[in-house]
Amino acid sequence: MTQAVWHLAQINIGRLVAPRGDPRVQPFFDALDRINALAEASPGFVWRLKDEGGNATDMALGGDPLLIPNMSVWTDADALFDFVYRSAHTPVMARRRDYFERFEGAYQALWWIEAGTVPTVNDGLSRLWLLDRLGPSPQAFTFKARFPAPDEAGPPIDHQPDPWCMGRA
């Protein structure tokens, strides 16, 4: 068996509707350790962004304590898709509008990285910027228009994440 040359990186960001400790977002924080453990135990999981508390909720973006990142790396798009849309993560994600403000721009981006690479938050933010400005491309895409790994040929594939992805969150 050949070792994978490419892994799939993902970033998603969100601005909480209230700070940690507020009852409006507490169910999100209550589920976080369980969902992170589920991700790490899922087939195809490689890496996730963590702060000193074991998640990334203290990594405020742009000085905004309510704007938080989530990043991870997976062996392939199907493994990430299964975790996001076909696991105990799905019902928590389906409530994202309860916990996060509606986002005007791109809030999630996927991109291929060389296996063994660990992306930075700035890498992820640049992919969000590309997706927001240029739309899906081989450099930054979504599950609705997922581009193949760089050594594979073919058009973008729609993983059909609906009904959970109803427009931009």
Side-chain angles (χ1 to χ4, degrees), residues 91-105:
V92 175
M93 183 205 52
R95 293 192 60 201
R96 71 189 181 279
R97 289 192 179 111
D98 293 343
Y99 312 128
F100 294 94
E101 294 179 358
R102 191 175 247 326
F103 214 75
E104 292 303 317

Side-chain angles (χ1 to χ4, degrees), residues 19 40 44 107 115 138 146:
E40 291 179 350
Y107 64 91
R146 190 210 16 106

Side-chain angles (χ1 to χ4, degrees), residues 69-83:
N70 175 293
M71 290 181 67
S72 57
V73 175
W74 297 78
T75 54
D76 57 71
D78 290 332
L80 175 59
F81 188 86
D82 286 346
F83 167 70

Side-chain angles (χ1 to χ4, degrees), residues 78-162:
D78 290 332
L80 175 59
F81 188 86
D82 286 346
F83 167 70
V84 173
Y85 297 106
R86 296 182 179 137
S87 75
H89 172 268
T90 308
V92 175
M93 183 205 52
R95 293 192 60 201
R96 71 189 181 279
R97 289 192 179 111
D98 293 343
Y99 312 128
F100 294 94
E101 294 179 358
R102 191 175 247 326
F103 214 75
E104 292 303 317
Y107 64 91
Q108 180 197 47
L110 310 174
W111 71 101
W112 295 104
I113 59 174
E114 288 186 41
T117 302
V118 174
T120 66
V121 172
N122 282 340
D123 293 335
L125 294 174
S126 70
R127 302 304 171 136
L128 287 170
W129 185 90
L130 283 170
L131 185 58
D132 200 42
R133 299 318 183 277
L134 305 175
S137 71
Q139 289 74 39
F141 47 89
T142 67
F143 280 124
K144 292 288 291 171
R146 190 210 16 106
F147 282 76
D151 59 353
E152 298 174 6
I157 296 167
D158 182 351
H159 254 103
Q160 300 179 349
D162 299 320

